[in-house]
Amino acid sequence: MALRRILHYPEPLLKQKSLPVTEFNAELKQLADDMVETMYDAPGVGLAAPQVGELKRLIVLDCSGKDEPDDLLVAVNPEVIAGEGDSLEEEGCLSVPGYWACVKRYAKATMRYQDVEGNHHERTADGLLAVGIQHEIDHLEGVLFVDRLSPLKRSIFKKKYLKMLKEQGQEDDA
Ligand code: NI
């Protein structure tokens, strides 16, 4: 296992669409293992392959609470096949460190996916996991949670965030 470097906004690769996984081989398992390790290390509750520079339809999630047992979900070629209700929860993203915003999602979502062996599964989730599933699948379409903000909020985000990155860059140079 190895930690992977997480790409940060505004890295262009994060805007690209990921390709379906067709080979369920050792390389895929290695990538999944690396992503799990990287997610727990960050720490974060979810990570999508494009965030570590791999344009593959693979996501990992663990939205279990602090006092709950681990609930690791590794999903290949995931898709939301049903959603209901509205949720407006604050989200963050390992690719947009230091920024959080409320995003409208389904409150309950059913995901169809494959495991790393290629077996098909379905999982229905609500709460944090439902939001996480939708957030991570968005990454596979090249969509970040900040892309789902209203145009006004998004332009404020862009200005503030790029200014923050610039200031951080200057600190690094100092
Ligand atoms: Ni994210």
Side-chain angles (χ1 to χ4, degrees):
M1 300 233 286
L3 289 178
R4 300 279 189 123
R5 189 171 71 88
I6 298 174
L7 302 178
H8 289 171
Y9 173 93
E11 159 65 48
L13 191 134
L14 293 170
K15 302 290 286 177
Q16 289 187 44
K17 211 170 154 161
S18 292
L19 297 171
V21 171
T22 53
E23 287 187 61
F24 296 83
N25 52 19
E27 194 191 323
L28 178 71
K29 290 186 185 89
Q30 182 66 58
L31 175 59
D33 284 350
D34 289 352
M35 284 170 58
V36 169
E37 193 184 353
T38 305
M39 171 182 76
Y40 283 133
D41 178 73
V45 297
L47 192 65
Q51 293 182 273
V52 295
E54 301 274 354
L55 290 171
K56 292 180 182 159
R57 302 190 80 86
L58 166 64
I59 62 174
V60 300
L61 286 150
D62 188 342
C63 294
S64 58
K66 212 173 70 183
D67 302 320
E68 293 165 6
D70 284 358
D71 182 19
L72 179 63
L73 186 53
V74 176
V76 182
N77 299 326
E79 50 181 329
V80 172
I81 55 165
E84 62 181 77
D86 292 324
S87 146
L88 190 64
E89 292 294 329
E90 193 166 73
E91 294 181 26
C93 180
L94 293 175
S95 292
V96 192
Y99 186 80
W100 293 267
C102 287
V103 179
K104 201 176 161 194
R105 305 276 189 190
Y106 290 128
K108 190 175 169 188
T110 301
M111 172 173 69
R112 182 182 287 159
Y113 66 99
Q114 286 167 279
D115 58 32
V116 290
E117 309 287 344
N119 304 304
H120 292 266
H121 302 272
E122 265 183 37
R123 176 139 174 194
T124 299
D126 55 15
L128 191 56
L129 183 58
V131 169
I133 284 170
Q134 295 166 82
H135 175 116
E136 299 311 329
I137 291 178
D138 265 0
H139 275 296
L140 306 181
E141 297 299 317
V143 174
L144 297 178
F145 78 108
V146 292
D147 296 321
R148 293 204 176 272
L149 301 176
S150 69
L152 177 65
K153 277 193 181 157
R154 206 176 149 210
S155 74
I156 294 170
F157 156 76
K158 271 192 175 171
K159 267 187 220 151
K160 267 171 71 176
Y161 206 78
L162 294 175
K163 188 172 165 234
M164 190 186 94
L165 288 180
K166 215 176 142 190
E167 283 166 4
Q168 280 177 355
Q170 281 166 353
E171 276 168 32
D172 290 347
D173 293 342

